[in-house]
Amino acid sequence: MPTRLLRSPLSALRLWLLIALTLCAFAQAALAGSAEFEQGIELIKTNKYDQVEEGVTLVASSRDPRAVGLLAALQDSDLYLRKADGRLFIATRSDAGYDLIDPLTQAAAGVAGQRDLKRIRINNRLRSQLRTAVATLNLTHPDAVVRLTAVNEMLDRLDADSLALLRDLAGEEKNAQVREGMTAAIALADLEAEEPARRIEALDQLEGNLHPAVQGGIQRLLSQEQDAEVRAAAEHVLEAIQFKRDLYGFAETLFFGLSLGSVLVLAAIGLAITFGVMGVINMAHGELIMLGAYTAYIVQQLMPGHIGLALFLAIPAAFLVSGAVGILIERGVIRFLYGRPLETLLATFGISLILQQLVRTLISPQNVPVANPDWMSGSWQINSVLSLTMNRMYIIAFCLIVFTALYLVMRKTSLGLQVRAVSQNRAMARAMGVRSARVDALTFGLGSGIAGVAGVALSQLTNVGPNLGQAYIIDSFMVVVFGGVGNLWGTLVAGMSLGVVNKILEPWAGAVLAKILVLIFIILFIQKRPRGLFPQKGRAAEG
Amino acid sequence: MTKTKRIASAATLAAALSFGITSLANAADTIKVGILHSLSGTMAISETTLKDTMLMLIDEQNKKGGLLGKQLEAVVVDPASNWPLFAEKARELIEKDKVAAVFGCWTSVSRKSVLPVFEELNGLLFYPVQYEGEESSKNVFYTGAAPNQQAIPAVDYLMDDLGVKRWVLAGTDYVYPRTTNKILEAYLKAKGVADEDIMINYTPFGHSDWQSIVSDIKKFGSAGKKTAVVSTINGDANVPFYKELGNQGISSEDIPVVAFSVGEEELSGIDTKPLVGHLAAWNYFMSVDTPENETFIDSWHSFIKDDKRVTNDPMEAHYIGFNLWVQAVEKAGSTDTDKVIEAIIGLETPNLTGGKAVMLKNHHITKPVLIGEIQDDGQFAVVWETEKEVPGDAWSDFLPGSKDIIADWTPPISCGNYNTVTKKCSGQNY
């Protein structure tokens, strides 16, 4: 076909021209982008807050694929200047020092020591800017989870630019959850729309959304809304949100209570053995907890870089250390004072002071840092209102494990049998061939060891210092007395219920008054039932 | 009979327990300087460092040839974080050891406990810690910050620079946080902040379960207005507080916390990850880059023989207080209390942040105010500072009761509690 032959060179030329032009335009855009990107990097290199801020704006608007990595590194304070040549690197700590990555080429660039590098400093204003920038860039991230967090981040700080972007993206979004988030963000912005109908539509879309930004947005709307229909709709939606929030708020309080309760149970359960079963008023119980916490610290110091493993190893180690100290106290002091509670009280109080000062002199009067493993920090986000903190969940679980283990020891082992025999009737047990002195020492050691294990758990929640124990001794006695002396179940129920009651009272009474109220409640309760929640029955009770 | 015996033995034991450390002073021809800081008990965590700082300053002064041709001699006592014991030990220092001046106390309650002793025996106390104000004694020099040198500028910063509209005032339940929060509340209301935008919360000493309080703060902060926490939470209760903030996902950009009691020393004992980006207001940071500060840090490291030890704000306050006292003694030519009190007013000495500290007529000093953001190495990056030093104000201008009251220890007023309206000195001594 001649016509075709004739036309083909022309069309081919056209095609080529078109391709060349497009490529050119692309290249130009890319060039302009990368020029912006590089200019931004130059500004970041100055390491001055206001210039870094401008730099971040440039890098973010360049839409360069390398931008996310760079900004995220800056956000995490992983961006450094090499002092020798003033170049910028993303650095991560490793065994050799810092591993460098060139943010321009994304290639590894060797290692550097801490002294060769200077960190790019950021402040809160920058952090906030970076968060928005990274979230905006992440909206197009291939991973849906990242996109979802990005959308949720943006709900708080919507502006015209990000809204335009969200409107563009919402139509194409495949993931239902992410799309929902995007619609919510757009609806939130639509609350300020001119037409009442659009405002009502936006309210419909926001119904049941628990994100705090939504509540704030509707409250803002209500404060200035004139249209009666919109007001009614807004009030309805807000009410529904408030109801759900209250419900989840109650669940949260319950969780807080149980976690406080499990701390109380952990602290008290060792005492339930020494005070409850043996009847020894051990004022040094708190210091045995403290020794456990210090053991966790020392094990962690011995194994740098293995925080999680060190924590696991610390559990048996703390049991042995505190248990050994406990046996030493029992053999050295308490056994001479059986049946003389006042003297026991004073002597163990003295021991507690000695142990405190010992730690102060030998280790430091300062608190010591016990690191949390990564899997223990952060929280499990159920929805925008309810999130359960990881460390507390582990503590609840740990408390139940310790309780079960101790319960089994007391019920199923021969040691447990002997302990119960001696505590119920010492003379009869001796007559049956139980070596009561040895059982006393072992029981006291067991109670003390459990206190040490509690110390490891507490080291993850609170400060490890010489005064750690004092904070828990009163609470421990309270739990044991309330639960009923000599009863492990009583300790568990008492600890948990005191925790929950405390947390329910706290929001409206304040932390100080809540504690006082709980104490008064226990005093009144003991007046009514002197033997606690679960009194021992039968002949044992008279002993 | 046995019962009395038992109680008697218990009493003996108790007496033995409370037996403190008494240092023996010898009667050579030296000038004695008393150091009244707890070396045991709850406050040992903060106060031990100050004792060492004083020993270092005295040691340095002795190397420079002492004072008035005599060597200085430190008399260290341990009040063991026990407030009544502070008064006893103060009496012992002044009456028995005849010290020329005492450097000491940390908590306000310990200061209030020793105050009558210093006034009765006409001693000299240099108090190095930020406090709630509303006091000016003839015998006490306050080298730490008054509320207008720490709390008020910090609130100004949050309001003007960060645009904070809602305020949580959280503190430990004792005199310093309660008074400071009263001043701040009055100040915020004067600035037009509504009642429902202020939340006040107190917790006991050493509080460790912050779950519901942090959750409340989170709810309070989600009302669509920028929220900040002004924290007067004391000592080690801070660590679980910040941890809980981190765990519940509250970052420093969402709800910044500005603390008045968290310094380098407190941060050195903890994992700083959850604290990064939160703020603290002080008059000195270890990270301030001046030659004076560098020298101070170097001599501290070589004195304590540990390069990892940090310096902090109360240490600088002792540095300033000690230098002012040395100057005053040299100027007066004597360590006599009345002569030193007269000589010290108006004296000035370089502080560690590149400025000057002047002793004012109300026994407070001028200080710059710095706001720092916590970094992950436990140091602070200064994000804001006042242009020049702020003079300490003993009586707050924002409390109705103390608005018209000033302190001026120079004639003709010579009063720590002078009402400028009625022109009368109150019957109180301070």
Side-chain angles (χ1 to χ4, degrees), chain B residues 116-285:
Chain B
V117 177
F118 278 92
E119 288 183 345
E120 179 201 329
L121 303 175
N122 200 21
L124 267 184
L125 172 68
F126 286 83
Y127 176 67
V129 184
Q130 96 276 22
Y131 83 120
E132 66 281 1
E134 308 300 296
E135 184 184 303
S136 175
S137 162
K138 173 171 169 262
N139 300 85
V140 182
F141 292 93
Y142 307 83
T143 54
N148 75 317
Q149 292 173 308
Q150 193 184 24
I152 301 273
V155 165
D156 282 339
Y157 165 76
L158 290 174
M159 204 182 272
D160 302 337
D161 282 38
L162 299 184
V164 172
K165 299 274 188 316
R166 259 166 106 79
W167 303 83
V168 180
L169 308 180
T172 304
D173 202 359
Y174 75 107
V175 55
Y176 165 66
R178 280 206 180 250
T179 315
T180 306
N181 285 347
K182 219 186 278 169
I183 294 172
L184 287 180
E185 197 186 350
Y187 182 71
L188 287 173
K189 284 186 178 157
K191 287 264 181 180
V193 177
D195 262 349
E196 73 261 18
D197 285 339
I198 302 177
M199 166 179 157
I200 300 182
N201 184 291
Y202 292 106
T203 39
F205 268 101
H207 191 64
S208 64
D209 195 325
W210 289 93
Q211 303 178 86
S212 38
I213 291 163
V214 166
S215 161
D216 279 353
I217 292 175
K218 199 171 165 183
K219 274 184 214 130
F220 188 78
S222 62
K225 289 183 188 168
K226 178 80 181 169
T227 306
V229 180
V230 178
S231 151
T232 36
I233 297 164
N234 201 332
D236 47 11
N238 276 297
V239 182
F241 173 60
Y242 285 104
K243 257 191 199 168
E244 192 65 39
L245 282 176
N247 282 337
Q248 293 200 20
I250 300 178
S251 70
S252 57
E253 309 103 81
D254 303 328
I255 302 181
V257 179
V258 56
F260 303 148
S261 307
V262 177
E264 290 86 349
E265 187 80 35
E266 286 75 18
L267 294 181
S268 71
I270 59 172
D271 181 16
T272 45
K273 247 185 299 165
L275 288 86
V276 172
H278 287 298
L279 305 158
W282 288 106
N283 311 101
Y284 164 85
F285 287 119

Side-chain angles (χ1 to χ4, degrees), chain A residues 49 75-77 80 119 121-125 127-128 131 156-157 212-213 215-216 219-220 245 249 252 255-257 259-261 263 339-343 346-347 349-351 353 356-357 360 365-372 374 376-379 381 384-385 387 389-392 459-463 467 470-472 503 506-507 510-512 515, chain B residues 6-7 9-11 13-14 17-18 21 39-46 48-49 78 157 161-162 173 178 201-204 206-213 215-216 218-219 222-225 235-240 243-244 246-249 251-254 256 265-266 268-271 273 276-279 309 373-377 381-383:
Chain A
Y49 292 136
Q75 191 180 17
D76 297 340
S77 292
Y80 290 83
R119 185 201 305 259
R121 293 185 310 163
I122 54 173
N123 58 13
N124 275 329
R125 189 201 290 264
R127 273 189 204 99
S128 165
R131 235 164 77 162
D156 283 339
R157 42 196 112 206
Q215 201 188 16
Q219 270 166 352
R220 254 199 315 279
R245 288 182 78 99
E252 193 183 47
F255 172 71
F256 289 164
S259 80
L260 174 64
V263 169
R340 288 186 285 173
L342 182 66
E343 270 103 311
L346 282 167
F349 180 63
I351 292 169
L353 292 185
Q356 272 176 42
Q357 203 60 30
R360 240 178 233 128
Q366 310 285 332
N367 291 347
V368 294
V370 179
N372 296 72
D374 283 334
M376 270 192 82
S377 30
S379 58
Q381 193 85 29
S384 312
V385 186
S387 61
T389 42
M390 296 308 277
N391 59 352
R392 299 285 175 175
S459 76
Q460 292 301 306
L461 290 182
T462 181
N463 294 298
N467 304 318
Q470 287 181 322
Y472 290 95
K503 283 294 157 188
E506 216 171 78
V512 184
K515 242 186 155 158
Chain B
R6 260 188 217 172
I7 289 167
S9 67
L13 208 57
L17 292 176
S18 64
I21 303 159
L39 310 179
S40 54
T42 343
M43 294 310 296
I45 177 174
S46 308
T48 315
T49 315
D78 178 18
Y157 165 76
D161 282 38
L162 299 184
D173 202 359
R178 280 206 180 250
N201 184 291
Y202 292 106
T203 39
H207 191 64
S208 64
D209 195 325
W210 289 93
Q211 303 178 86
S212 38
I213 291 163
S215 161
D216 279 353
K218 199 171 165 183
K219 274 184 214 130
S222 62
K225 289 183 188 168
D236 47 11
N238 276 297
V239 182
K243 257 191 199 168
E244 192 65 39
N247 282 337
Q248 293 200 20
S251 70
S252 57
E253 309 103 81
D254 303 328
E265 187 80 35
E266 286 75 18
S268 71
I270 59 172
D271 181 16
K273 247 185 299 165
V276 172
H278 287 298
L279 305 158
R309 287 295 291 273
E373 262 181 28
I374 299 172
Q375 307 289 299
D376 58 1
D377 55 359
V382 176
V383 288

Side-chain angles (χ1 to χ4, degrees), chain A residues 157-187:
Chain A
R157 42 196 112 206
L158 288 168
D159 55 26
D161 286 347
S162 51
L163 262 174
L165 186 69
L166 278 172
R167 278 182 214 275
D168 283 349
L169 291 171
E172 299 159 21
E173 181 58 51
K174 302 270 187 309
N175 185 296
Q177 254 184 313
V178 181
R179 198 168 50 235
E180 205 177 293
M182 288 178 167
T183 342
I186 296 168

Side-chain angles (χ1 to χ4, degrees), chain A residues 13-55:
Chain A
L13 194 70
R14 256 197 225 146
L15 193 69
W16 277 115
L17 210 69
L18 204 71
I19 291 173
L21 271 175
T22 330
L23 269 180
C24 211
F26 264 130
Q28 229 168 15
L31 261 181
S34 75
E36 255 186 320
F37 182 75
E38 269 155 32
Q39 207 183 338
I41 286 199
E42 286 308 313
L43 282 170
I44 291 174
K45 276 186 193 167
T46 58
N47 205 1
K48 297 206 172 66
Y49 292 136
D50 41 347
Q51 303 207 24
V52 174
E53 201 175 321
E54 276 174 49

Side-chain angles (χ1 to χ4, degrees), chain A residues 521-543:
Chain A
F521 164 72
I522 291 180
I523 293 172
L524 294 179
F525 182 86
I526 294 298
Q527 297 303 311
K528 201 83 194 136
R529 295 186 62 168
R531 286 178 182 274
L533 275 179
F534 293 85
Q536 275 193 339
K537 293 191 185 80
R539 250 185 304 178
E542 278 100 55

